[in-house]
Amino acid sequence: MKALVVDDEELARRKVLNLLAEVEEIEVLGECSNGKSAIAQINKLKPELVFLDISMKDMSGFEVLQKLNVNPKPVVVFVTAYDNYATKAFDVDAFDFLLKPFRDERFFKTIKKVLNISNNEVQENFEKRLQTLFEVYSKDRKTSKIPLKLPVRQGNKTVLLTPDEISYICASGYYAEIYTENSKYLLRESLNNLEEFFKDHAFFRIHRSAIINLNHIKEIVHSDFSEVDVKMKDNKLLRISKSNKKELFDKLGI
């Protein structure tokens, strides 16, 4: 089975590629870092299996699949950092999902499932299941009444953080440091994905390495060198990049 790996995070692609290297029945054709290149490569290479990130910078994984012009259709394994929408829709034989961060054994369970899918089954159900999944995804993003929560693994438990309790998020290598009023959490996730995750809430990216909750700003601090910082409620100072200053001030009515 020939496979393609699509994810806008290099670390996530590396993990899937390393695990696939242990599966003799699967040959990796390549990797893509965005939706546009994924569409081109899937149409060109015609992989039988695609590991597809749901939330990418340029488009969603569902939008990638809707724009494909290829036959036969591939088996699709969605990869996502969030399960805040109806993941139960993925509980079908021709589609599966991996929730980041996933364990190796969960990955190989998915591989076993994929290798047992018949080609006829994939072709007969691809369009129907894709449309159902896309409708669930779109409806949930627009109208879900379930409060948004960010799952953060902490040892043997998962903390569910609501947007209101998060003050700011800072990049730290491959991790994001998430600050609340009394705690700091470490999450293996990019600021780009977290910015997308919180885009419908009062968050703003003031710098390439920092996202803030506008409701947790205490002061705007002007320096003597035309530089500007935000002081958060915990008195943490965070630099505002010059390119983002005007938009932030507009949001704050300054």
Side-chain angles (χ1 to χ4, degrees):
M1 179 174 279
K2 301 181 186 299
L4 188 72
V5 178
V6 181
D7 200 302
D8 61 359
E9 293 298 318
E10 183 177 0
L11 194 64
R13 294 198 307 275
R14 292 275 75 75
K15 178 170 185 178
V16 173
L17 290 168
N18 289 338
L19 291 172
L20 284 175
E22 300 180 30
V23 183
E24 294 182 357
E25 297 92 337
I26 295 178
E27 174 190 351
V28 178
L29 299 177
E31 57 183 286
C32 300
S33 61
N34 57 62
K36 184 178 180 181
S37 64
I39 295 169
Q41 289 300 303
I42 294 172
N43 285 335
K44 177 183 177 181
L45 300 176
K46 297 180 173 59
E48 299 158 285
L49 171 63
V50 177
F51 289 87
L52 183 59
D53 187 12
I54 290 180
S55 179
M56 293 178 284
K57 300 177 185 68
D58 58 341
M59 66 183 74
S60 74
F62 298 124
E63 290 171 307
V64 169
L65 295 182
Q66 285 196 319
K67 295 178 181 179
L68 293 183
N69 182 24
V70 61
N71 277 298
K73 303 297 185 183
V75 175
V76 178
V77 175
F78 288 111
V79 183
T80 176
Y82 316 113
D83 63 347
N84 60 304
Y85 53 90
T87 51
K88 63 182 181 180
F90 292 94
D91 191 20
V92 292
D93 290 337
F95 286 101
D96 199 1
F97 78 99
L98 292 169
L99 183 63
K100 303 176 186 174
F102 54 83
R103 297 178 181 274
D104 292 2
E105 55 265 32
R106 176 64 179 85
F107 178 87
F108 290 120
K109 181 179 179 181
T110 291
I111 292 298
K112 182 178 180 181
K113 184 177 179 181
V114 165
L115 293 175
N116 288 326
I117 296 173
S118 70
N119 185 61
N120 287 339
E121 184 178 4
V122 175
Q123 306 315 309
E124 290 175 2
N125 294 288
F126 184 93
E127 297 294 346
K128 180 180 178 181
R129 285 168 171 162
L130 170 60
Q131 186 60 38
T132 299
L133 292 171
F134 186 77
E135 288 174 358
V136 170
Y137 174 79
S138 300
K139 180 179 179 181
D140 184 82
R141 286 177 65 87
K142 293 177 181 178
T143 64
S144 177
K145 296 181 181 179
I146 301 174
L148 181 71
K149 292 186 178 181
L150 178 68
V152 181
R153 183 75 58 84
Q154 298 289 298
N156 63 349
K157 63 181 180 179
T158 298
V159 178
L160 300 176
L161 299 175
T162 63
D164 290 343
E165 63 186 312
I166 297 174
S167 298
Y168 51 92
I169 306 169
C170 297
S172 179
Y174 290 115
Y175 290 84
E177 295 176 342
I178 301 171
Y179 292 83
T180 63
E181 183 178 354
N182 300 311
S183 302
K184 181 179 82 171
Y185 301 92
L186 206 60
L187 178 65
R188 193 161 189 165
E189 188 56 84
S190 72
L191 259 63
N192 287 334
N193 282 345
L194 291 173
E195 183 180 20
E196 171 69 17
F197 187 70
F198 289 118
K199 69 178 183 179
D200 295 326
H201 296 264
F203 285 80
F204 183 78
R205 192 162 185 173
I206 59 170
H207 191 274
R208 61 184 178 84
S209 60
I211 299 172
I212 64 170
N213 186 332
L214 300 178
N215 295 322
H216 286 249
I217 296 176
K218 183 178 180 180
E219 296 173 352
I220 300 294
V221 181
H222 300 266
S223 73
D224 296 331
F225 304 99
S226 298
E227 293 182 338
V228 182
D229 296 332
V230 288
K231 179 182 282 189
M232 306 305 289
K233 289 182 178 180
D234 64 356
N235 293 320
K236 173 75 171 180
L237 284 174
L238 297 169
R239 178 60 44 85
I240 305 170
S241 70
K242 292 181 180 179
S243 59
N244 292 337
K245 182 172 70 173
K246 184 180 184 303
E247 185 178 354
L248 175 63
F249 281 15
D250 286 344
K251 288 182 176 293
L252 297 175
I254 299 176

